[in-house]
């Protein structure tokens, strides 16, 4: 629920305006008035196919412009919901013109046009709350998520029959726990912004335990204001501050050593306005996700370098992940949703053509035996002896061989890969490069997602279909043969990109914008009219 005082004055005016139609279509209207109303409505609504479909089915009977209490409640609920759009990080919609046209409606034709306009406003609101403002693929080439679009005709039809129109409109927003927590965080951050932020910046390059002075006081005060440290008058970087810095680092994806180094101080000094901006971006991203994500699903947050198995909204398994390298851009891991269908034990690695062209063919041209662990395979599946190949005669487009790394402990995919077949050739897999999981920043792959604990991940996925998932897994693994195990029930996979998550304990967890995508999203939102000031309420 939104705080009542945030909307109070504006909504009182809008609620009054929503009720103020100069005339309404009476139940006993004359045949000529009814005809004029229907003609004007049909003409005006024709450009909105979803609404036209609904009105044709109901014989162009009005939803908004009768004089009864139900129509008044619908109008009031719509105006109130539309006025609250900026609190969801969406652009404000100007309503003065509609208020004027409602107040000046005098004829049945006027009412028909007002009826159409109100339904158009409803459809616009439904689209914004149901699918967001932006199209992800227009923002970044690797934001390939297909946003589920609401059925606008079904929504208008259901609204017309709803007993509680205000509740119906509220429920058009995502009902996920994450969206609810982000809305709460938005309100709290807006309060911080209105109050002037978290206090003076910490003007130091580094602060260590035992330090004293005004910059330690500035750090102390910001940590207190952010809720990481209890109130204190100490001007010393004491044990309590070490623990507070450690907590701050944990919630910001930093090495939790309790020392305020350059990265930690940069995060501490990030203004509340920037954090509110991140929350508004996260709200938009949440609107892009499927409403039904699966009672069991896999959630990979690229910025958090983590993969989780979720069961009924709770994390039942979590492991560290390595994602696509920051550069070149072609290695960025994309964002999308799909369904995991199977896993392959003792997998071969079939080198993608893009990686072959970028990483291997140039080396083979210099030294035919480069990357000797890779096999050349012809169109018939036969392994080709490299000595018979003139690599300099080929380029990435005409190279006639597939390149394969056979199964084994040094295989680039490790000993198991998890498949959700997709056009982007992205999957989850094991890796022999275990040392990378010890790093805080884990952007090292060519685009696929590597898992620190792939065996345990596999056990958890197999648990619903066998009494002994570990035994099944290892009985297949120990054969050394490339073998596919199908999942009896496919599991939805969501590759997301969140620089801020609202944790169940109420704290916000921030992560770096590793590929710069959130900056692009914010630029696009701002260009479409989203403003920090509006989000403050």
């Amino acid at each position: 629920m939104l705080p009542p005082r945030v909307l109070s004055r504006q909504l009182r005016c809008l609620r009054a305006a929503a009720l103020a139609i100069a005339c309404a279509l009476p139940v006993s209207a004359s045949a000529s008035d009814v005809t004029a109303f229907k003609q004007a409505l049909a003409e005006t609504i024709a450009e909105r196919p979803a609404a036209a479909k609904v009105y044709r089915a109901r014989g162009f009977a009005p939803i908004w412009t009768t004089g009864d209490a139900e129509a008044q409640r619908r109008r009031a609920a719509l105006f109130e919901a539309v006025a609250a759009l900026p609190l969801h990080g969406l652009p404000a919609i100007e309503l003065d013109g509609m208020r004027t046209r409602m107040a000046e409606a005098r004829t049945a034709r006027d009412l028909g046009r007002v009826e159409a306009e109100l339904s158009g406003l409803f459809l616009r609101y439904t689209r914004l709350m149901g699918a967001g403002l932006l199209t992800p693929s227009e923002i970044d080439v690797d934001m390939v998520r297909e946003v589920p679009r609401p059925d606008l005709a079904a929504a208008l039809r259901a609204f017309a029959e709803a007993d509680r129109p205000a509740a119906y409109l509220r429920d058009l927003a995502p009902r996920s726990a994450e969206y609810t927590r982000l809305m709460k965080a938005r309100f709290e951050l807006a309060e911080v912004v209105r109050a002037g932020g978290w206090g003076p910046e910490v003007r130091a390059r580094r602060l260590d335990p035992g330090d004293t002075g005004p910059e330690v006081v500035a750090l102390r005060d910001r940590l207190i204001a952010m809720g990481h440290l209890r109130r204190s008058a100490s001007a010393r970087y004491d044990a309590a501050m070490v623990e507070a810095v450690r907590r701050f680092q944990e919630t910001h994806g930093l090495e939790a050593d309790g020392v305020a180094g350059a990265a930690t101080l940069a995060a501490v000094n990030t203004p509340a306005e920037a954090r509110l901006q991140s929350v508004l971006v996260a709200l938009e991203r949440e609107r892009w996700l499927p409403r039904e994500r699966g009672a069991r699903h896999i959630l990979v947050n690229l910025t958090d370098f983590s993969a989780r198995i979720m069961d009924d909204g709770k994390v039942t398994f979590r492991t560290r992940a390595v994602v696509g390298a920051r550069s070149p851009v072609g290695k960025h891991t994309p964002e999308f949703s799909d369904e995991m269908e199977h896993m392959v034990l003792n997998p071969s690695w079939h080198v993608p053509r893009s990686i072959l062209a970028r990483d291997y063919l140039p080396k083979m041209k210099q030294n035919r035996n480069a990357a000797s662990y890779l096999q050349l395979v012809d169109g018939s599946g036969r392994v080709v002896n490299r000595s018979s190949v003139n690599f300099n005669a080929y380029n990435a487009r005409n190279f006639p061989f597939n390149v394969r790394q056979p199964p084994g402990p040094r295989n680039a995919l490790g000993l198991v890969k998890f498949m959700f077949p997709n056009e982007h050739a992205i999957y989850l897999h094991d890796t022999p490069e275990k040392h990378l999981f010890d790093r805080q920043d884990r952007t090292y792959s060519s685009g696929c997602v590597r898992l620190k604990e792939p065996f345990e991940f596999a056990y958890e996925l197999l648990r619903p279909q066998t009494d002994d998932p570990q035994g099944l897994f290892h009985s297949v693994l120990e054969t050394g043969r490339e073998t596919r195990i199908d999942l009896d029930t496919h599991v939805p996979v969501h590759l997301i990109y969140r620089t801020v998550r609202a944790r169940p304990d109420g704290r916000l967890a921030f992560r770096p914008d590793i590929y710069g995508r959130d900056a692009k999203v914010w630029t696009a939102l701002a260009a479409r009219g989203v403003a920090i000031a509006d989000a403050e309420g």
Side-chain angles (χ1 to χ4, degrees):
M1 287 291 293
L2 299 173
R5 69 172 191 79
V6 173
L7 293 171
S8 57
R9 181 181 302 174
Q10 184 183 18
L11 291 186
R12 278 198 298 272
C13 296
L14 288 171
R15 193 176 290 113
L19 303 179
I21 295 183
C23 66
L25 192 68
V27 175
S28 58
S30 68
S32 60
D33 279 348
V34 170
T35 299
F37 173 88
K38 290 182 176 182
Q39 285 178 343
L41 173 57
E43 292 164 3
T44 313
I45 209 70
E47 63 191 33
R48 301 183 178 97
K53 178 180 178 182
V54 174
Y55 278 107
R56 281 196 301 270
R58 55 189 285 122
F60 291 92
I63 296 171
W64 310 95
T65 52
T66 58
D68 59 19
E70 280 189 21
Q72 290 180 350
R73 283 198 300 272
R74 290 186 194 117
R75 295 195 299 270
L78 180 63
F79 272 66
E80 184 168 336
V82 169
L85 281 172
L87 302 183
H88 291 264
L90 291 164
I93 294 177
E94 191 276 319
L95 294 171
D96 287 345
M98 181 171 289
R99 291 167 62 188
T100 299
R101 287 185 289 280
M102 289 169 62
E104 293 178 351
R106 292 290 184 274
T107 68
R109 287 192 63 82
D110 291 342
L111 281 177
R113 286 188 285 267
V114 166
E115 176 79 23
E117 194 170 355
L118 286 166
S119 284
L121 181 62
F122 171 88
L123 296 182
R124 185 176 176 187
Y125 175 86
T126 301
R127 239 186 331 260
L128 287 171
M129 295 305 292
L133 180 64
L134 307 175
T135 301
S137 59
E138 295 176 357
I139 308 303
D140 188 283
V141 293
D142 289 311
M143 290 164 55
V144 292
R145 176 169 303 289
E146 294 182 9
V147 179
R149 302 295 177 183
D151 184 333
L152 297 179
L156 181 57
R157 190 181 305 114
F159 178 76
E161 298 170 357
D163 294 329
R164 300 168 59 211
Y168 182 91
L169 290 169
R170 283 196 299 272
D171 286 345
L172 291 175
R175 285 183 277 181
S176 65
E178 178 70 5
Y179 195 86
T180 300
R181 291 193 292 260
L182 284 169
M183 285 295 291
K184 181 175 182 291
R186 183 217 58 76
F187 171 65
E188 292 170 350
L189 279 169
E191 291 286 301
V192 173
V193 170
R194 271 193 294 270
W198 289 303
E201 287 189 4
V202 183
R203 301 189 181 280
R205 294 184 176 179
R206 177 187 174 97
L207 292 171
D208 290 285
D211 285 352
T212 59
E215 298 313 315
V216 172
V217 171
L219 174 60
R220 178 202 70 194
D221 290 346
R222 284 185 79 87
L223 290 171
I224 290 171
M226 292 177 188
H228 294 282
L229 180 65
R230 291 182 178 177
R231 292 205 168 274
S232 168
S234 174
R236 185 178 184 81
Y237 199 140
D238 55 16
M241 188 175 289
V242 169
E243 285 305 308
V245 169
R246 198 171 277 134
R247 282 191 293 272
F248 177 89
Q249 291 167 329
E250 287 172 351
T251 59
H252 288 72
L254 301 166
E255 183 180 357
D257 58 6
V259 175
T264 297
L265 290 175
V268 166
N269 284 331
T270 300
E273 290 87 350
R275 297 305 192 194
L276 177 55
Q277 175 180 307
S278 295
V279 168
L280 298 182
V281 169
L283 286 167
E284 174 72 357
R285 286 182 166 281
E286 190 71 10
R287 289 187 286 267
W288 295 343
L289 287 176
R291 296 300 170 90
E292 298 299 327
R293 296 170 199 177
R296 160 167 276 209
H297 63 268
I298 296 162
L299 194 66
V300 179
N301 186 10
L302 305 181
T303 65
D304 188 42
F305 314 117
S306 69
R308 298 172 174 86
I309 296 176
M310 307 291 296
D311 286 291
D312 298 318
K314 296 181 180 178
V315 179
T316 52
F317 181 83
R318 186 182 191 278
T319 187
R320 290 188 167 202
V322 168
V323 303
R326 293 175 188 252
S327 63
V329 171
K331 290 189 174 185
H332 291 182
T333 303
E335 305 166 41
F336 63 100
S337 293
D338 213 301
E339 285 192 346
M340 186 169 290
E341 300 178 3
H342 63 273
M343 62 185 76
V344 178
L345 280 62
N346 302 306
S348 297
W349 180 41
H350 300 274
V351 181
R353 301 294 286 190
S354 59
I355 296 177
L356 173 65
R358 184 182 63 232
D359 297 339
Y360 291 112
L361 190 54
K363 294 177 182 177
M364 291 174 179
K365 286 184 176 184
Q366 293 179 348
N367 174 7
R368 70 173 66 245
N369 294 315
S372 59
Y373 51 87
L374 298 177
Q375 298 174 336
L376 303 187
V377 181
D378 66 16
S380 300
R382 294 186 297 263
V383 176
V384 176
N385 192 315
R386 292 194 189 197
S387 63
S388 65
V389 179
N390 178 9
F391 289 95
N392 288 306
Y394 301 112
N395 56 41
R397 290 186 300 277
N398 66 9
F399 191 67
F401 307 107
N402 293 317
V403 180
R404 168 182 176 268
Q405 184 182 16
R410 299 304 302 165
N411 186 283
L413 308 184
L415 295 173
V416 59
K417 65 178 180 178
F418 304 91
M419 303 301 294
F420 40 106
N422 58 82
E423 61 184 297
H424 317 293
I426 296 296
Y427 45 88
L428 313 185
H429 64 86
D430 182 20
T431 175
E433 297 184 287
K434 305 292 188 185
H435 64 284
L436 295 177
F437 294 108
D438 295 329
R439 301 187 182 181
Q440 206 67 33
D441 184 302
R442 296 191 288 278
T443 49
Y444 295 102
S445 83
S446 292
C448 286
V449 179
R450 307 173 188 173
L451 303 181
K452 181 180 182 182
E453 299 166 290
F455 287 12
E456 292 80 1
F457 187 77
Y459 305 156
E460 188 59 37
L461 288 176
L462 292 171
R463 196 174 305 283
Q465 64 191 66
T466 176
D467 293 334
D468 184 13
Q470 188 169 344
L472 171 63
F473 181 86
H474 285 279
S475 68
V476 175
L477 182 69
E478 289 164 11
T479 68
R481 295 191 299 271
E482 188 164 2
T483 306
R484 167 173 166 162
I485 300 179
D486 289 327
L487 297 179
D488 289 351
T489 302
H490 293 177
V491 181
V493 182
H494 306 291
L495 274 64
I496 66 171
Y497 186 100
R498 291 294 174 77
T499 60
V500 57
R501 298 297 304 274
R503 304 193 320 191
D505 64 5
R507 289 189 182 278
L508 292 177
F510 290 96
R511 294 296 182 266
D513 189 6
I514 56 175
Y515 301 143
R517 292 178 190 168
D518 270 17
K520 293 180 181 179
V521 173
W522 175 251
T523 298
L525 287 172
R528 297 284 295 274
V530 176
I532 289 288
D534 290 341
E536 292 175 32

